[in-house]
Amino acid sequence: MADIVDSKNQWKAWVYLSPAIALLLVFTVWPIFNTVRMAFLEGYSGLMNVGGAKFQFGIGNFRKVLQYQRFLSCLKTTSLLCIITVPISTILALLIAVCLNSIKILQKPLQTIFFLPYVTNSIAIGMVFAAMFNIVGSFYGTQNEIIVTAGIVNNIIEFLGGKAVNWINYGSTYLANMTVMVIYIVWNALPFKILILLGGLQSVNKQYYDAARVDGTSRRRIFSRITVPLLSPMIAYVVITGFIGGFKEYTSIVGIFGETMGPADDAKRLNTMVGFIYDSLSTNSQGRSSAAALILFGIILVVTLINLRVSKKRVHY
Amino acid sequence: MEITLKNLTKIFPSRNKKSPDDVVAVNDFDFTIPDGKLIGLLGPSGCGKSTMLYMISGLQKPTSGQIFFGSDDVTQLSPENRGVGLVFQNYALYPHMTVLQNILFPLQNLKGEDKLTKDQMLDKAKDAARLVQIDELLDRKPSELSGGQQQRVAIARALVKMPRVLLLDEPLSNLDARLRLQTREEISRIQKETKITTVFVTHDQEEAMSISDMIVVMKQGVVQQTGKPQDVYDNPTNLFVAKFLGTPPINVFRGHVAGSMLYIGSSAVMACPGVKDCEVYVGIRPEGFILDPAGPFENSLRSVEVMGRDVSVVFTSPDSMNPTARAIITSESVIDEKSPTVRFSIKPRKLFLFDFASEKRIRFEVK
């Protein structure tokens, strides 16, 4: 291919690119490089570094991180949330997008409503969710059962004749906590996925559907044999970005549980990988923090590669 | 399968608030398509011919009127229950399926009694592929095929169920000139082999004339004329049909009839017994001119184009409706290119008179 810029004038191109390159070097390349460096300096700490301490090169940070019970708990919570929420939100988004695409009236207002979570601050949404699942005031009876509930979810459950559940407050179970998180994350993930899938659906040539109708294809078969394959590039995209986002889950948990990352009696119960990295940083263990960040990077890389591999056969570009 | 269309009308409600007029795509269409024939629906774009086709297929419901397949009223039937095969203008092949999967797709939809075993489906699909001569390409994806091959796959997919009626929407418009010629013969051959009643839509009159058993000329949703291609060409009912059929197009002149004699300008061109004195449009087919130094029709010669087989004489006339008019004569004719004028006599059966106001044909006795 011919050079677009004359080779004599290439320095000009570099001059034009230099501001962007400088910014990238300072804010992207250097931090990445530094993270890798810190991860392999055993027991690295910013404060001790300033104090003139020397650190040995090795994989001690990684070994230590992987031995932490807290880290393994974070890994478990993060992975669980990912594995549960990504498929659910993708399938729901696909169904909603198909339904939205097939209705004529109210399509625009409904689209707006479905898109609202995307433009709302996730901490604010978290607080609203916390209120909805709350047992405000935590009124307990003699046998520790909840007498008065104020969250709308428990009110509905009781109205339907069920028993109120302690979702997120003192004494709640891990299962209850996770249920709230799954609902919250799925709901929060829907708008982006619906947007992408709806865009994909609207660009599908209508004649494929006309052709399928003439051939007497059932609705289910049209969905599975035509809509899904034609949407497969978009589906792969939302699944992959969903997994990447899922492994970086953090704010949603802060939104509902606050910085304790868990119910009052078991703080950090729902801590995630990013939460762990943040905690390590705040205790000045930059070495371990960097190691955890690199582990997270490795996990995301592997999961994405698996995703790409799986989608290779099923995605039709 | 004989198809009867009765008073078929399709009105698209206006979506534009400024002009509340509804769009009448097809207006009171009455026609019977004979069994086992190839019919060309012909008209300029926007004349309602595709709408017509979609109504026969069932993808669009007529506003009023009825459609019969044989003696069954199918007006209210959905497309899948009509037994039609439809080939779309851009083929609409499923891009994620191979050629074989595309052809198998309609068969896999069959339910109940019609359900086939895998082997039966495969046999049928292969038969259809053989019919359109794509049996070598079964494992390819549509994107790996040329336009002509995609076209054949689309026809195979439409034919594999052995539909009662085959419908083709502008089947040749996406092909290059050479392929178009070849494919139209192919369509004609396939239709003759399968004997399935076939309706195809086109805006290209040559395409329609060349392969149709019958053509239907439409304009703004109204049928202008139906009949065998040659009959319609030789005997147009109005100026529109005369202008629409034929390449090069018919030459139209302004003329008048006085005392049963047709005048174009001052030339008394031909006797037209029985026609009252009036202003007329005169249509003369390019092949209707005979080079004749003593001929009655004098014009200024513009140029002579030699085409090999025949010669095109381009001339101008103050009474011509077009900037130039064109006569096609055999290449044996001798013509003096330097001469400023050219004289013709006219073959009477190639000349048509049309009423100046209504543009309807004025018939007269030809000796």
Side-chain angles (χ1 to χ4, degrees):
Chain A
M1 207 181 95
D3 286 331
I4 294 166
V5 180
D6 195 309
S7 56
K8 265 189 221 160
N9 284 323
Q10 265 189 13
W11 64 271
K12 272 190 189 166
W14 286 107
V15 169
Y16 296 144
L17 285 173
S18 56
I21 290 175
L23 287 173
L24 281 173
L25 280 177
V26 172
F27 291 107
T28 306
V29 178
W30 170 247
I32 291 173
F33 170 77
N34 208 19
T35 305
V36 176
R37 189 180 72 93
M38 288 190 293
F40 286 99
L41 289 176
E42 292 190 343
Y44 181 90
S45 154
L47 273 184
M48 286 158 75
N49 190 29
V50 174
K54 291 271 176 265
F55 303 100
Q56 219 184 332
F57 189 78
I59 56 165
N61 288 332
F62 291 92
R63 199 173 286 158
K64 218 158 203 172
V65 165
L66 290 172
Q67 280 165 357
Y68 273 126
Q69 205 56 51
R70 284 199 294 122
F71 177 78
L72 296 180
S73 141
C74 291
L75 184 58
K76 182 182 117 191
T77 305
T78 312
S79 311
L80 267 179
L81 285 176
C82 253
I83 291 165
I84 298 169
T85 60
V86 172
I88 294 178
S89 61
T90 306
I91 290 168
L92 270 181
L94 184 58
L95 293 177
I96 292 171
V98 169
C99 291
L100 269 181
N101 193 39
S102 62
I103 58 171
K104 286 198 184 78
I105 47 162
L106 289 182
Q107 189 187 13
K108 292 286 164 197
L110 281 173
Q111 226 169 305
T112 312
I113 291 171
F114 277 110
F115 196 62
L116 272 181
Y118 195 72
V119 291
T120 314
N121 180 293
S122 57
I123 299 288
I125 300 172
M127 289 166 86
V128 172
F129 261 71
M132 285 164 69
F133 284 93
N134 212 345
I135 39 168
V136 170
S138 313
F139 297 106
Y140 284 83
T142 42
Q143 255 103 41
N144 239 17
E145 82 270 31
I146 305 153
I147 302 172
V148 180
T149 62
I152 190 170
V153 177
N154 275 337
N155 284 341
I156 290 172
I157 292 176
E158 290 197 326
F159 178 76
L160 295 174
K163 207 166 171 295
V165 179
N166 185 354
W167 293 109
I168 54 174
N169 295 76
Y170 187 92
S172 55
T173 61
Y174 184 69
L175 184 67
N177 297 162
M178 284 296 270
T179 310
V180 175
M181 284 322 302
V182 166
I183 294 172
Y184 171 84
I185 292 170
V186 166
W187 184 75
N188 208 10
L190 281 180
F192 176 70
K193 294 191 163 101
I194 292 173
L195 184 77
I196 297 287
L197 295 176
L198 193 61
L201 276 175
Q202 282 169 350
S203 65
V204 168
N205 187 342
K206 300 268 176 299
Q207 288 208 328
Y208 293 132
Y209 294 111
D210 281 344
R213 271 181 68 201
V214 172
D215 291 338
T217 321
S218 63
R219 274 166 165 261
R220 181 177 298 182
R221 250 173 78 81
I222 288 181
F223 180 76
S224 64
R225 294 288 309 272
I226 296 172
T227 305
V228 171
L230 289 176
L231 273 188
S232 56
M234 285 80 183
I235 295 175
Y237 174 72
V238 298
V239 167
I240 291 171
T241 53
F243 268 107
I244 293 172
F247 275 104
K248 297 195 298 186
E249 206 63 67
Y250 177 63
T251 44
S252 56
I253 293 163
V254 174
I256 290 183
F257 290 96
E259 274 188 89
T260 51
M261 304 292 278
D265 58 325
D266 193 358
K268 304 288 175 196
R269 181 199 270 168
L270 291 175
N271 204 0
T272 59
M273 305 274 286
V274 172
F276 180 89
I277 294 167
Y278 181 74
D279 290 347
S280 308
L281 270 180
S282 59
T283 57
N284 246 313
S285 323
Q286 282 90 348
R288 262 173 278 154
S289 183
S290 303
L294 285 189
I295 293 172
L296 176 60
F297 170 71
I299 292 173
I300 292 177
L301 183 68
V302 169
V303 168
T304 306
L305 287 177
I306 293 173
N307 268 326
L308 287 175
R309 178 119 205 177
V310 170
S311 60
K312 204 165 197 179
K313 277 198 182 149
R314 285 155 217 266
V315 173
H316 312 280
Y317 290 101
Chain B
M1 186 61 51
E2 187 182 88
I3 307 171
T4 310
L5 310 167
K6 263 195 187 157
N7 308 103
L8 215 52
T9 299
K10 176 74 181 178
I11 296 170
F12 291 109
S14 165
R15 260 183 260 151
N16 186 349
K17 279 177 192 148
K18 280 180 194 154
S19 63
D21 301 340
D22 295 341
V23 179
V24 184
V26 175
N27 192 356
D28 204 17
F29 196 110
D30 243 334
F31 187 55
T32 301
I33 296 168
D35 182 26
K37 293 282 196 248
L38 183 60
I39 305 297
L41 276 181
L42 179 62
S45 53
C47 74
K49 53 197 192 305
S50 286
T51 308
M52 194 60 244
L53 198 75
Y54 287 136
M55 283 198 286
I56 299 176
S57 77
L59 285 172
Q60 283 179 2
K61 290 261 176 295
T63 312
S64 65
Q66 285 170 301
I67 302 168
F68 294 90
F69 284 4
S71 55
D72 315 340
D73 183 350
V74 298
T75 318
Q76 297 305 324
L77 278 187
S78 52
E80 66 267 26
N81 299 323
R82 291 193 182 189
V84 293
L86 180 55
V87 177
F88 290 88
Q89 187 169 3
N90 51 10
Y91 317 139
L93 297 175
Y94 307 122
H96 54 286
M97 299 185 197
T98 62
V99 168
L100 182 64
Q101 286 167 331
N102 261 293
I103 301 175
L104 280 174
F105 194 79
L107 297 176
Q108 290 162 342
N109 289 329
L110 298 174
K111 278 177 246 145
E113 292 170 27
D114 304 330
K115 202 163 176 157
L116 303 171
T117 65
K118 278 211 167 122
D119 290 337
Q120 284 174 315
M121 285 193 218
L122 211 58
D123 283 346
K124 284 203 171 202
K126 284 192 173 151
D127 283 346
R130 212 166 298 132
L131 183 69
V132 298
Q133 297 169 349
I134 46 155
D135 35 347
E136 311 278 293
L137 309 169
L138 291 177
D139 296 325
R140 301 239 198 124
K141 289 270 176 70
S143 56
E144 295 160 350
L145 302 177
S146 69
Q149 289 166 333
Q150 289 184 21
Q151 162 78 280
R152 286 155 191 253
V153 177
I155 295 178
R157 184 177 69 179
L159 280 176
V160 71
K161 271 198 311 190
M162 278 298 146
R164 300 198 281 180
V165 175
L166 179 64
L167 306 168
L168 305 132
D169 189 6
E170 299 266 3
L172 308 176
S173 62
N174 284 352
L175 304 177
D176 63 51
R178 184 184 290 245
L179 210 51
R180 201 172 292 176
L181 218 66
Q182 193 186 335
T183 309
R184 76 183 191 201
E185 282 158 20
E186 199 77 343
I187 290 174
S188 165
R189 172 185 70 79
I190 292 164
Q191 196 273 333
K192 286 201 174 71
E193 272 178 44
T194 56
K195 295 195 177 62
I196 293 175
T197 309
T198 304
V199 181
F200 81 104
V201 156
T202 179
H203 61 266
D204 180 354
Q205 52 88 22
E206 196 183 324
E207 205 173 294
M209 304 260 299
S210 57
I211 59 171
S212 311
D213 294 316
M214 242 176 138
I215 58 172
V216 177
V217 186
M218 288 178 77
K219 178 196 175 191
Q220 289 169 352
V222 183
V223 181
Q224 304 294 309
Q225 194 170 0
T226 61
K228 287 189 178 137
Q230 195 63 49
D231 293 349
V232 177
Y233 180 82
D234 288 340
N235 217 346
T237 55
N238 60 35
L239 186 59
F240 171 81
V241 176
K243 281 206 269 191
F244 199 75
L245 293 187
T247 38
I250 195 163
N251 302 296
V252 184
F253 303 91
R254 196 182 254 246
H256 65 274
V257 177
S260 291
M261 184 52 109
L262 169 67
Y263 292 91
I264 297 174
S266 55
S267 318
V269 178
M270 214 169 77
C272 46
V275 181
K276 284 189 215 128
D277 293 3
C278 60
E279 294 270 294
V280 288
Y281 283 119
V282 186
I284 308 173
R285 293 277 181 213
E287 69 273 24
F289 295 92
I290 303 163
L291 208 58
D292 180 358
F297 191 26
E298 188 188 44
N299 293 284
S300 348
L301 180 63
R302 169 71 68 85
S303 61
V304 177
E305 293 169 10
V306 182
M307 323 280 273
R309 185 163 41 96
D310 39 40
V311 174
S312 231
V313 181
V314 183
F315 59 90
T316 56
S317 153
D319 300 301
S320 172
M321 302 303 290
N322 305 84
T324 59
R326 187 178 286 268
I328 293 180
I329 51 177
T330 57
S331 53
E332 287 104 67
S333 330
V334 184
I335 178 160
D336 177 12
E337 287 184 46
K338 301 226 173 55
S339 155
T341 60
V342 59
R343 292 189 86 90
F344 299 106
S345 57
I346 307 294
K347 297 179 191 164
R349 284 179 203 285
K350 294 291 179 184
L351 180 146
F352 314 114
L353 296 185
F354 303 97
D355 184 82
F356 200 74
S358 69
E359 301 192 350
K360 286 215 174 75
R361 175 87 178 271
I362 303 170
R363 291 175 196 276
F364 60 92
E365 201 70 27
V366 176
K367 284 166 281 173

